Amino acid sequence: MERLKSKDLLDTDLLTKEEILLIINTAFKFKEGGIKNLPLTGEVVSLLFFEPSTRTRNSFEIAGRRLGAIVISMDTTGSSLVKGESALNTVRTLQVMGVNYFVIRHRESGFPYQIAEKVSASIINAGDGTRGHPTQALLDAMTIIEAKENIEGKKLVIVGDIIHSRVARSNIWLLKKLGADITLVGPPEFLPKDFEKFGVEISYSLDDVIKDTDILMGLRIQRERMEKMHISVEEYVKRYQINRERVKRGKPDLIVLHPGPVNVGIEMTEDILYSEISLVERQVTNGVFIRMAILSLLKETRDGSNT
Ligand code: CP
Protein backbone atom coordinates (compact mmCIF):
# COMPACT_ATOMS: atom_id res chain seq x y z
CA MET A 1 0.00 0.00 0.00
CA GLU A 2 1.70 3.19 -1.17
CA ARG A 3 -1.18 5.48 -1.94
CA LEU A 4 -4.61 6.48 -0.73
CA LYS A 5 -7.30 5.39 -3.18
CA SER A 6 -9.50 8.46 -3.08
CA LYS A 7 -8.69 12.08 -3.97
CA ASP A 8 -10.67 13.04 -0.82
CA LEU A 9 -10.40 12.33 2.90
CA LEU A 10 -14.05 12.17 3.95
CA ASP A 11 -14.16 9.81 6.92
CA THR A 12 -12.54 6.85 8.59
CA ASP A 13 -15.26 4.36 7.59
CA LEU A 14 -14.12 4.86 3.98
CA LEU A 15 -10.45 4.11 4.76
CA THR A 16 -9.01 0.59 4.83
CA LYS A 17 -6.82 -0.51 7.73
CA GLU A 18 -3.84 -0.29 5.36
CA GLU A 19 -4.69 3.31 4.42
CA ILE A 20 -5.08 4.25 8.10
CA LEU A 21 -1.65 2.78 8.91
CA LEU A 22 -0.14 4.47 5.85
CA ILE A 23 -1.34 7.88 7.11
CA ILE A 24 -0.16 7.24 10.69
CA ASN A 25 3.24 5.88 9.63
CA THR A 26 3.75 8.83 7.27
CA ALA A 27 2.92 11.16 10.18
CA PHE A 28 5.52 9.39 12.37
CA LYS A 29 8.11 9.87 9.59
CA PHE A 30 7.39 13.60 9.52
CA LYS A 31 7.64 13.72 13.31
CA GLU A 32 10.89 11.76 13.50
CA GLY A 33 12.69 12.96 10.41
CA GLY A 34 11.49 16.45 9.76
CA ILE A 35 10.91 17.58 6.20
CA LYS A 36 13.47 16.77 3.54
CA ASN A 37 11.68 18.49 0.68
CA LEU A 38 8.58 20.60 0.10
CA PRO A 39 6.16 18.23 -1.66
CA LEU A 40 3.33 20.77 -1.82
CA THR A 41 5.31 23.53 -3.53
CA GLY A 42 2.98 25.23 -6.00
CA GLU A 43 -0.16 23.70 -4.44
CA VAL A 44 -2.88 25.83 -2.88
CA VAL A 45 -4.82 24.79 0.23
CA SER A 46 -8.03 26.60 1.20
CA LEU A 47 -9.31 26.47 4.77
CA LEU A 48 -13.10 26.82 4.64
CA PHE A 49 -14.41 26.83 8.19
CA PHE A 50 -18.12 27.54 8.62
CA GLU A 51 -17.83 26.70 12.35
CA PRO A 52 -15.24 27.83 14.93
CA SER A 53 -11.97 25.93 15.33
CA THR A 54 -8.60 26.45 16.96
CA ARG A 55 -6.77 23.12 16.69
CA THR A 56 -7.93 21.79 13.33
CA ARG A 57 -7.74 25.05 11.43
CA ASN A 58 -4.35 26.19 12.73
CA SER A 59 -2.73 22.77 12.47
CA PHE A 60 -3.82 22.44 8.83
CA GLU A 61 -2.37 25.90 8.19
CA ILE A 62 0.95 24.94 9.79
CA ALA A 63 0.95 21.56 8.00
CA GLY A 64 0.32 23.11 4.59
CA ARG A 65 2.98 25.80 5.07
CA ARG A 66 5.57 23.31 6.31
CA LEU A 67 5.02 21.31 3.12
CA GLY A 68 5.51 24.37 0.92
CA ALA A 69 1.88 25.05 -0.03
CA ILE A 70 0.17 28.40 -0.31
CA VAL A 71 -2.50 28.31 2.41
CA ILE A 72 -5.49 30.64 2.23
CA SER A 73 -8.08 30.96 4.95
CA MET A 74 -11.44 32.42 3.96
CA ASP A 75 -13.52 34.43 6.39
CA THR A 76 -16.88 32.81 5.67
CA THR A 77 -18.71 35.73 7.31
CA GLY A 78 -16.96 38.31 5.13
CA SER A 79 -17.25 36.62 1.72
CA SER A 80 -19.86 36.56 -1.04
CA LEU A 81 -21.54 33.75 0.90
CA VAL A 82 -23.33 36.50 2.84
CA LYS A 83 -24.62 37.87 -0.50
CA GLY A 84 -26.28 34.54 -1.18
CA GLU A 85 -23.55 32.73 -3.12
CA SER A 86 -23.78 28.99 -2.44
CA ALA A 87 -20.98 27.08 -0.76
CA LEU A 88 -20.56 24.97 -3.90
CA ASN A 89 -20.24 28.09 -6.02
CA THR A 90 -17.65 29.42 -3.58
CA VAL A 91 -15.61 26.22 -3.82
CA ARG A 92 -15.82 26.17 -7.63
CA THR A 93 -14.79 29.85 -7.75
CA LEU A 94 -11.73 29.18 -5.57
CA GLN A 95 -10.93 26.04 -7.56
CA VAL A 96 -10.61 28.00 -10.81
CA MET A 97 -8.20 30.36 -9.00
CA GLY A 98 -5.97 27.34 -8.49
CA VAL A 99 -7.00 25.83 -5.15
CA ASN A 100 -6.29 22.07 -5.18
CA TYR A 101 -7.26 21.16 -1.57
CA PHE A 102 -10.21 22.32 0.49
CA VAL A 103 -10.26 21.68 4.22
CA ILE A 104 -13.93 22.05 5.17
CA ARG A 105 -15.73 22.26 8.50
CA HIS A 106 -19.51 22.65 8.30
CA ARG A 107 -22.46 22.32 10.67
CA GLU A 108 -24.34 20.10 8.19
CA SER A 109 -23.58 16.36 8.36
CA GLY A 110 -22.59 15.12 4.91
CA PHE A 111 -21.70 18.57 3.54
CA PRO A 112 -18.11 17.71 2.41
CA TYR A 113 -19.44 14.64 0.56
CA GLN A 114 -21.82 16.80 -1.49
CA ILE A 115 -18.94 19.09 -2.51
CA ALA A 116 -16.45 16.28 -3.17
CA GLU A 117 -18.48 14.70 -5.92
CA LYS A 118 -18.84 18.00 -7.78
CA VAL A 119 -15.22 19.22 -7.89
CA SER A 120 -11.86 17.81 -8.99
CA ALA A 121 -10.00 19.36 -6.03
CA SER A 122 -9.39 17.22 -2.94
CA ILE A 123 -11.90 17.67 -0.11
CA ILE A 124 -10.75 17.03 3.46
CA ASN A 125 -13.45 16.75 6.09
CA ALA A 126 -12.47 18.87 9.11
CA GLY A 127 -15.72 18.07 10.93
CA ASP A 128 -19.24 17.77 9.50
CA GLY A 129 -22.15 18.27 11.87
CA THR A 130 -22.45 15.35 14.27
CA ARG A 131 -21.27 12.83 11.68
CA GLY A 132 -17.49 12.70 11.53
CA HIS A 133 -14.09 14.25 12.25
CA PRO A 134 -11.63 11.88 10.57
CA THR A 135 -8.41 13.83 11.05
CA GLN A 136 -9.10 13.99 14.80
CA ALA A 137 -9.54 10.21 14.94
CA LEU A 138 -6.32 9.69 12.98
CA LEU A 139 -4.31 11.90 15.35
CA ASP A 140 -5.93 10.14 18.32
CA ALA A 141 -4.85 6.75 16.93
CA MET A 142 -1.30 8.04 16.29
CA THR A 143 -1.11 9.30 19.88
CA ILE A 144 -2.36 5.99 21.30
CA ILE A 145 0.13 3.99 19.20
CA GLU A 146 2.95 6.29 20.32
CA ALA A 147 2.04 5.69 23.97
CA LYS A 148 0.98 2.02 23.88
CA GLU A 149 2.77 0.69 20.75
CA ASN A 150 -0.41 -0.84 19.38
CA ILE A 151 -4.18 -0.67 19.71
CA GLU A 152 -5.10 -4.35 19.12
CA GLY A 153 -6.96 -5.73 22.17
CA LYS A 154 -6.70 -2.51 24.18
CA LYS A 155 -9.74 -1.52 26.24
CA LEU A 156 -10.80 1.96 25.17
CA VAL A 157 -13.53 3.90 26.95
CA ILE A 158 -15.10 6.97 25.32
CA VAL A 159 -17.04 8.99 27.89
CA GLY A 160 -19.37 11.94 27.43
CA ASP A 161 -21.84 13.31 24.93
CA ILE A 162 -21.65 10.43 22.47
CA ILE A 163 -24.82 11.14 20.52
CA HIS A 164 -23.72 14.60 19.34
CA SER A 165 -20.05 13.73 18.90
CA ARG A 166 -18.48 13.56 15.44
CA VAL A 167 -15.20 12.63 17.16
CA ALA A 168 -16.82 9.52 18.71
CA ARG A 169 -18.14 8.19 15.41
CA SER A 170 -14.87 8.62 13.48
CA ASN A 171 -12.93 7.09 16.37
CA ILE A 172 -15.25 4.09 16.62
CA TRP A 173 -14.89 3.35 12.89
CA LEU A 174 -11.11 3.78 12.97
CA LEU A 175 -10.16 2.20 16.30
CA LYS A 176 -12.30 -0.87 15.70
CA LYS A 177 -10.40 -1.45 12.45
CA LEU A 178 -7.19 -1.36 14.52
CA GLY A 179 -8.60 -3.93 16.97
CA ALA A 180 -9.64 -1.82 19.98
CA ASP A 181 -12.22 -3.15 22.40
CA ILE A 182 -14.48 -0.10 22.77
CA THR A 183 -16.97 0.81 25.49
CA LEU A 184 -19.07 3.96 25.25
CA VAL A 185 -20.01 5.57 28.56
CA GLY A 186 -22.42 8.38 29.38
CA PRO A 187 -25.87 9.20 30.66
CA PRO A 188 -28.65 7.43 28.69
CA GLU A 189 -29.70 10.79 27.20
CA PHE A 190 -26.26 11.06 25.54
CA LEU A 191 -25.94 7.38 24.69
CA PRO A 192 -28.79 5.65 22.87
CA LYS A 193 -28.74 1.84 22.82
CA ASP A 194 -28.62 1.82 19.01
CA PHE A 195 -24.91 2.70 19.21
CA GLU A 196 -24.46 -1.04 19.81
CA LYS A 197 -24.84 -1.42 16.03
CA PHE A 198 -21.23 -0.14 15.78
CA GLY A 199 -20.02 -3.28 17.58
CA VAL A 200 -19.22 -1.51 20.87
CA GLU A 201 -20.24 -2.08 24.50
CA ILE A 202 -22.42 0.46 26.29
CA SER A 203 -22.26 1.42 29.96
CA TYR A 204 -23.96 4.16 31.95
CA SER A 205 -21.38 4.04 34.76
CA LEU A 206 -17.77 5.16 34.41
CA ASP A 207 -17.04 3.71 37.85
CA ASP A 208 -18.09 0.24 36.63
CA VAL A 209 -15.59 0.19 33.74
CA ILE A 210 -12.64 2.30 34.90
CA LYS A 211 -10.64 -0.50 36.53
CA ASP A 212 -10.18 -2.44 33.25
CA THR A 213 -9.60 0.58 31.01
CA ASP A 214 -6.32 1.11 29.12
CA ILE A 215 -7.29 4.32 27.30
CA LEU A 216 -9.86 6.83 28.58
CA MET A 217 -11.11 9.40 26.08
CA GLY A 218 -13.29 12.28 27.31
CA LEU A 219 -15.56 14.25 24.99
CA ARG A 220 -16.69 17.85 25.17
CA ILE A 221 -19.95 18.62 26.96
CA GLN A 222 -22.05 21.62 26.01
CA ARG A 223 -23.94 23.17 28.91
CA GLU A 224 -26.83 24.49 26.77
CA ARG A 225 -27.34 21.00 25.36
CA MET A 226 -27.41 19.54 28.86
CA GLU A 227 -30.30 21.79 29.82
CA LYS A 228 -32.28 20.51 26.83
CA MET A 229 -31.40 16.96 27.83
CA HIS A 230 -32.54 17.46 31.46
CA ILE A 231 -29.14 16.59 32.94
CA SER A 232 -27.56 18.96 35.42
CA VAL A 233 -23.88 19.79 35.16
CA GLU A 234 -23.50 18.75 38.81
CA GLU A 235 -24.97 15.32 38.10
CA TYR A 236 -22.72 14.85 35.06
CA VAL A 237 -19.62 15.82 37.05
CA LYS A 238 -20.57 13.45 39.86
CA ARG A 239 -21.00 10.44 37.59
CA TYR A 240 -18.69 10.98 34.62
CA GLN A 241 -15.94 13.54 35.31
CA ILE A 242 -12.37 12.32 34.73
CA ASN A 243 -10.76 13.28 38.01
CA ARG A 244 -8.03 12.13 40.40
CA GLU A 245 -10.35 9.89 42.46
CA ARG A 246 -11.58 7.95 39.41
CA VAL A 247 -8.17 7.71 37.79
CA LYS A 248 -6.72 6.27 41.02
CA ARG A 249 -9.12 3.34 40.62
CA GLY A 250 -7.83 2.68 37.08
CA LYS A 251 -4.80 0.75 35.82
CA PRO A 252 -1.37 2.20 36.73
CA ASP A 253 -0.60 2.76 33.02
CA LEU A 254 -3.97 4.34 32.15
CA ILE A 255 -3.74 7.16 29.61
CA VAL A 256 -6.27 9.97 29.16
CA LEU A 257 -7.17 11.72 25.92
CA HIS A 258 -9.57 14.50 24.94
CA PRO A 259 -10.00 16.12 21.49
CA GLY A 260 -10.41 19.58 23.00
CA PRO A 261 -11.55 22.13 23.68
CA VAL A 262 -11.85 20.89 27.26
CA ASN A 263 -14.45 22.32 29.64
CA VAL A 264 -12.01 22.25 32.53
CA GLY A 265 -13.80 21.25 35.74
CA ILE A 266 -16.67 19.55 33.89
CA GLU A 267 -15.55 16.59 31.81
CA MET A 268 -12.01 16.70 33.25
CA THR A 269 -10.26 18.38 36.17
CA GLU A 270 -7.29 20.68 35.55
CA ASP A 271 -4.87 18.52 37.56
CA ILE A 272 -5.65 15.53 35.30
CA LEU A 273 -5.53 17.61 32.11
CA TYR A 274 -1.94 18.68 32.85
CA SER A 275 -0.84 15.46 34.56
CA GLU A 276 1.63 12.84 33.37
CA ILE A 277 -1.20 10.50 32.28
CA SER A 278 -2.80 13.12 30.03
CA LEU A 279 -1.90 13.03 26.32
CA VAL A 280 -4.12 15.97 25.42
CA GLU A 281 -1.29 18.31 24.41
CA ARG A 282 0.50 15.48 22.60
CA GLN A 283 -2.70 14.95 20.57
CA VAL A 284 -2.49 18.58 19.45
CA THR A 285 1.19 18.24 18.50
CA ASN A 286 0.50 15.04 16.54
CA GLY A 287 -2.36 16.77 14.75
CA VAL A 288 0.14 18.80 12.73
CA PHE A 289 1.99 15.65 11.60
CA ILE A 290 -1.22 13.76 10.74
CA ARG A 291 -2.40 16.70 8.65
CA MET A 292 0.99 16.91 6.91
CA ALA A 293 0.67 13.19 6.14
CA ILE A 294 -2.84 13.60 4.73
CA LEU A 295 -1.91 16.54 2.50
CA SER A 296 1.26 14.88 1.19
CA LEU A 297 -0.48 11.52 0.56
CA LEU A 298 -3.39 13.19 -1.23
CA LYS A 299 -0.82 14.99 -3.41
CA GLU A 300 0.69 11.60 -4.35
CA THR A 301 -2.77 10.25 -5.17
CA ARG A 302 -3.53 13.29 -7.31
CA ASP A 303 -0.17 13.03 -9.09
CA GLY A 304 -0.76 9.30 -9.65
CA SER A 305 -4.15 9.82 -11.24
CA ASN A 306 -2.71 12.52 -13.53
CA THR A 307 0.00 10.23 -15.00
N1 CP B 1 -10.66 18.94 18.37
C1 CP B 1 -11.07 19.93 17.56
O1 CP B 1 -11.62 19.70 16.47
O2 CP B 1 -10.78 21.17 18.02
P1 CP B 1 -11.09 22.54 17.25
O3 CP B 1 -12.60 22.70 17.26
O4 CP B 1 -10.38 23.59 18.04
O5 CP B 1 -10.59 22.41 15.84
Side-chain angles (χ1 to χ4, degrees):
M1 161 63 61
E2 290 170 11
R3 282 196 186 136
L4 301 178
K5 289 191 300 291
S6 171
K7 75 172 177 68
D8 308 302
L9 196 292
L10 292 174
D11 217 330
T12 51
D13 55 341
L14 302 176
L15 295 172
T16 63
K17 180 177 175 182
E18 289 71 30
E19 288 178 305
I20 290 165
L21 292 175
L22 175 65
I23 295 169
I24 292 171
N25 290 335
T26 304
F28 275 124
K29 281 186 196 151
F30 280 124
K31 188 168 185 177
E32 287 153 14
I35 305 147
K36 296 189 177 58
N37 56 26
L38 298 175
L40 261 69
T41 300
E43 304 291 288
V44 187
V45 178
S46 167
L47 308 180
L48 268 181
F49 279 65
F50 297 86
E51 280 190 334
S53 167
T54 297
R55 291 151 198 79
T56 314
R57 182 177 180 144
N58 288 296
S59 60
F60 263 115
E61 178 151 2
I62 293 166
R65 286 172 185 259
R66 281 196 177 157
L67 295 170
I70 296 166
V71 182
I72 58 171
S73 189
M74 202 178 84
D75 174 7
T76 52
T77 60
S79 73
S80 288
L81 285 160
V82 294
K83 297 184 216 162
E85 184 165 61
S86 73
L88 174 61
N89 221 329
T90 301
V91 171
R92 290 185 69 115
T93 299
L94 292 170
Q95 182 174 249
V96 294
M97 289 180 201
V99 174
N100 328 81
Y101 307 82
F102 290 91
V103 180
I104 300 180
R105 173 171 290 187
H106 200 276
R107 72 193 70 82
E108 192 186 315
S109 298
F111 181 82
Y113 298 74
Q114 296 163 28
I115 302 292
E117 62 187 31
K118 294 188 179 113
V119 295
S120 59
S122 289
I123 303 298
I124 301 167
N125 183 1
D128 64 319
T130 57
R131 189 183 188 283
H133 193 351
T135 67
Q136 178 68 45
L138 284 158
L139 75 88
D140 291 343
M142 176 185 179
T143 306
I144 294 167
I145 291 170
E146 196 173 38
K148 295 275 186 195
E149 290 188 10
N150 67 67
I151 291 173
E152 182 75 44
K154 296 283 185 303
K155 180 105 181 161
L156 176 102
V157 167
I158 305 178
V159 58
D161 180 0
I162 308 285
I163 191 169
H164 299 107
S165 174
R166 53 193 175 206
V167 174
R169 283 173 181 76
S170 291
N171 261 310
I172 292 166
W173 289 320
L174 189 158
L175 294 170
K176 277 200 67 69
K177 281 181 188 165
L178 298 189
D181 171 9
I182 302 177
T183 302
L184 306 179
V185 178
E189 294 89 338
F190 285 170
L191 183 47
K193 282 290 273 179
D194 71 354
F195 266 81
E196 282 172 343
K197 69 178 179 232
F198 293 118
V200 298
E201 299 288 316
I202 283 185
S203 170
Y204 302 118
S205 167
L206 184 53
D207 292 323
D208 282 354
V209 300
I210 189 82
K211 70 175 190 324
D212 298 320
T213 303
D214 297 300
I215 302 143
L216 180 57
M217 182 183 293
L219 297 176
R220 191 166 72 89
I221 295 295
Q222 294 177 25
R223 287 166 192 257
E224 68 280 10
R225 200 167 269 162
M226 294 181 83
E227 280 157 23
K228 278 186 213 143
M229 302 292 250
H230 309 292
I231 308 164
S232 72
V233 172
E234 293 73 24
E235 184 65 14
Y236 182 86
V237 166
K238 197 168 133 199
R239 291 167 59 196
Y240 300 105
Q241 186 186 63
I242 303 173
N243 57 34
R244 185 65 63 186
E245 276 311 299
R246 285 215 161 85
V247 161
K248 264 201 288 195
R249 278 180 259 136
K251 291 183 170 181
D253 58 350
L254 176 72
I255 56 171
V256 172
L257 290 91
H258 190 299
V262 179
N263 289 307
V264 177
I266 299 180
E267 60 259 20
M268 193 182 293
T269 52
E270 191 170 56
D271 61 333
I272 293 297
L273 176 60
Y274 297 117
S275 72
E276 67 289 351
I277 67 165
S278 166
L279 302 186
V280 176
E281 288 187 339
R282 210 193 300 181
Q283 288 172 270
V284 178
T285 302
N286 287 342
V288 174
F289 298 111
I290 280 290
R291 284 149 185 151
M292 288 172 73
I294 289 165
L295 288 170
S296 64
L297 288 166
L298 288 177
K299 166 81 164 70
E300 287 177 21
T301 299
R302 297 175 64 77
D303 288 350
S305 59
N306 289 334
T307 52

